[in-house]
């Protein structure tokens, strides 16, 4: 099995030197070879494997701690989420007031508006710049968390002007 290796031109001089040594020197060389092989195994296999296992155990402990924290605060988080959803919902009256006030502040004239359901309002605008409608809708969403449920846009008589029918909800 090792014949081709032992006959190779770079290994042959070492084999001859080993053969010329006495038995005690050969035993020392064998012992050194075993020590070097053991160090290589430890350095290349055992040490990285052990380090990986330690890192994995630490990661598992962090994940278990996070899970315990989430489990201990689950009821609190659910209660806060439920409470925040109901407190932000506006009544139709508040919704109409908020929508019209923001439209006035942005210089947008509403042609018509009417409450629809508990927390919805229908709004009509005509002949207004498209960019103003987009800015108004963006402000409604960002500042008041009012969302557009339905939107119908029609091109106006002049360039950039639109007429819109919207259903907004909180």
């Amino acid at each position: 099995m090792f014949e081709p290796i032992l006959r190779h031109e770079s290994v042959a001089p070492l084999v001859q030197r080993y053969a010329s040594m006495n038995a005690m020197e050969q035993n020392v060389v064998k012992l050194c070879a075993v020590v070097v092989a053991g160090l290589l195994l430890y350095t290349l296999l055992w040490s990285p494997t052990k380090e990986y296992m330690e890192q994995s155990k630490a990661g598992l402990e962090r994940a278990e701690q996070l899970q315990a924290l989430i489990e201990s605060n689950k009821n609190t988080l659910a209660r806060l989420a439920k409470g925040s959803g109901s407190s932000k919902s506006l009544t139709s009256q508040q919704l109409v007031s908020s929508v019209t006030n923001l439209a006035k502040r942005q210089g947008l004239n509403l042609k018509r508006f009417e409450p629809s359901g508990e927390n919805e309002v229908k709004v009509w605008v005509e002949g207004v710049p498209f960019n103003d409608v987009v800015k108004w809708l963006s402000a409604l969403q960002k500042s008041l968390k009012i969302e557009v449920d339905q939107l119908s846009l029609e091109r106006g008589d002049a360039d950039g002007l639109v007429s819109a029918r919207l259903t907004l909800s909180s």
Side-chain angles (χ1 to χ4, degrees):
M1 180 167 121
F2 294 114
E3 288 287 326
I5 296 172
L6 294 176
R7 280 187 269 159
H8 190 270
E9 64 187 50
S10 62
V11 178
L14 295 174
V15 171
Q16 288 175 354
R17 183 166 177 166
Y18 178 76
S20 68
M21 293 180 183
N22 64 32
M24 191 170 118
E25 289 175 334
Q26 287 181 351
N27 287 337
V28 170
V29 170
K30 289 178 188 176
L31 179 66
C32 288
V34 169
V35 169
V36 168
L39 286 173
L40 284 173
L41 282 174
Y42 176 80
T43 304
L44 297 176
L45 293 176
W46 180 254
S47 181
T49 304
K50 184 179 175 188
E51 187 176 322
Y52 176 76
M53 288 179 60
E54 289 172 357
Q55 289 175 352
S56 296
K57 285 180 183 178
L60 178 62
E61 288 175 12
R62 285 192 306 272
E64 288 173 343
Q65 289 172 352
L66 180 60
Q67 182 182 8
L69 178 65
I70 290 171
E71 288 294 325
S72 67
N73 291 317
K74 184 168 50 172
N75 293 335
T76 304
L77 292 172
R79 189 176 63 246
L80 289 173
K82 188 182 280 185
S84 68
S86 62
S87 67
K88 288 187 179 180
S89 184
L90 301 174
T91 64
S92 285
Q93 200 79 349
Q94 294 169 326
L95 187 58
V96 168
S97 175
S98 298
V99 168
T100 56
N101 286 339
L102 188 58
K104 285 179 188 174
R105 278 187 278 164
Q106 293 202 349
L108 196 66
N109 291 324
L110 303 180
K111 181 179 181 195
R112 180 176 157 200
F113 54 88
E114 65 182 46
S116 173
E118 289 186 26
N119 59 351
E120 285 187 351
V121 64
K122 291 184 179 182
V123 179
W124 289 263
V125 292
E126 287 187 3
V128 295
F130 175 76
N131 290 340
D132 291 352
V133 174
V134 172
K135 288 177 189 174
W136 174 61
L137 292 174
S138 177
L140 284 172
Q141 209 293 318
K142 287 180 183 173
S143 62
L144 302 172
K145 305 294 184 227
I146 295 174
E147 297 183 5
V148 178
D149 286 340
Q150 293 180 348
L151 171 65
S152 174
L153 284 174
E154 294 176 10
R155 181 177 290 176
D157 296 333
D159 285 344
L161 297 182
V162 296
S163 295
R165 291 186 306 274
L166 305 109
T167 302
L168 306 171
S169 67
S170 63

